[in-house]
Amino acid sequence: DAERLPPPPPRPLLSADVVWLLLDFLRFPHLVASSGGDSIVKIWGAQGRDRSTLHGLGAVIGMRFFPSDDRVLTWSQDGFAIVWDSLAGAALHDLPHKGRVRFAAVFPQGDRIVTRDDGGDVVVWDMGSGERLVSFEGGAPAGTVENIAVSPDGAVAAACGNRRVARESALVLNWMSMWRISTGQRLLATQDRAPILDSFWPCSMSLGAVVS
């Protein structure tokens, strides 16, 4: 018999140019998604095996897994949020926005996502059809979005962030908005100004179930 060659060394899971790394150890300890901030996302399975490669994106800003591990959401500089089949590497929904997509979140049920773009629009999308369900235009001030959250029952969405008050100002405007998704009613809109050093840490949110 011909001499068997030793198996090739495993490909490195991560490289020095990785900008975005998506981990969800509580739900999917076997999955990792990585991107160098370019137009390619790699999804890795157990033992560092290459599960799929996502092509055709803009410069990636962020990523989220769906409640099941068969889909992943990416958003990018080119104004698109894209829902992918994480096994086949195929795009399921291309969701266009008016500007760069700042942040996005997946509903706990996996049936919808919510996004926010540079223009301040907050949009809820249906994952069955890929269509807009509701849009809260100008629902959040222009500027940095640090987080978007959805309540466990899918009834309420909230966003928070900050922006510099003026180019030369030492103050930033911290803001948070909250909406009832079924009606588009704004439940909360709050803003305050603070020194930049006091607003260094990104805002974070954890929404409980909302009683109608």
Side-chain angles (χ1 to χ4, degrees):
D1 294 340
E3 182 180 354
R4 292 180 177 272
L5 296 175
R11 296 172 58 187
L13 176 60
L14 301 175
S15 61
D17 61 351
V18 166
V19 174
W20 286 102
L21 184 64
L22 177 58
L23 304 170
D24 192 342
F25 285 130
L26 291 178
R27 296 186 301 170
F28 310 123
H30 58 291
L31 285 181
V32 176
S34 64
S35 172
D38 51 18
S39 60
I40 296 176
V41 169
K42 302 287 290 187
I43 299 178
W44 309 85
Q47 301 177 349
R49 293 175 181 168
D50 189 347
R51 189 184 197 192
S52 62
T53 301
L54 314 182
H55 295 278
L57 305 88
V60 175
I61 297 176
M63 303 177 283
R64 286 285 184 274
F65 286 125
F66 275 70
S68 59
D69 66 359
D70 59 345
R71 289 177 295 168
V72 64
L73 168 66
T74 65
W75 58 97
S76 55
Q77 298 270 12
D78 63 358
F80 277 86
I82 304 178
V83 179
W84 303 84
D85 182 321
S86 65
L87 291 171
L92 302 175
H93 299 298
D94 292 347
L95 311 176
H97 293 71
K98 295 179 182 178
R100 175 173 51 176
V101 182
R102 287 282 190 170
F103 219 93
V106 178
F107 277 61
Q109 299 80 12
D111 58 340
R112 292 164 290 172
I113 68 168
V114 58
T115 61
R116 193 272 194 181
D117 62 27
D118 257 342
D121 289 358
V122 176
V123 182
V124 178
W125 304 82
D126 178 72
M127 290 296 92
S129 64
E131 299 294 326
R132 292 181 177 223
L133 292 176
V134 62
S135 177
F136 313 126
E137 294 186 4
T144 300
V145 173
E146 299 288 1
N147 202 357
I148 288 182
V150 179
S151 61
D153 56 5
V156 168
C160 62
N162 56 67
R163 64 179 175 85
R164 191 185 293 266
V165 173
R167 179 173 296 181
E168 303 300 327
S169 175
L171 296 176
V172 294
L173 177 70
N174 298 307
W175 60 267
M176 184 173 72
S177 296
M178 187 180 298
W179 306 267
R180 187 176 298 280
I181 293 169
S182 60
T183 63
Q185 174 191 5
R186 185 178 296 190
L187 303 175
L188 175 69
T190 181
Q191 299 183 2
D192 68 85
R193 298 187 180 193
I196 291 177
L197 292 179
D198 292 343
S199 302
F200 179 77
W201 297 107
C203 65
S204 61
M205 296 178 296
S206 179
L207 298 181
V210 176
V211 178
S212 300

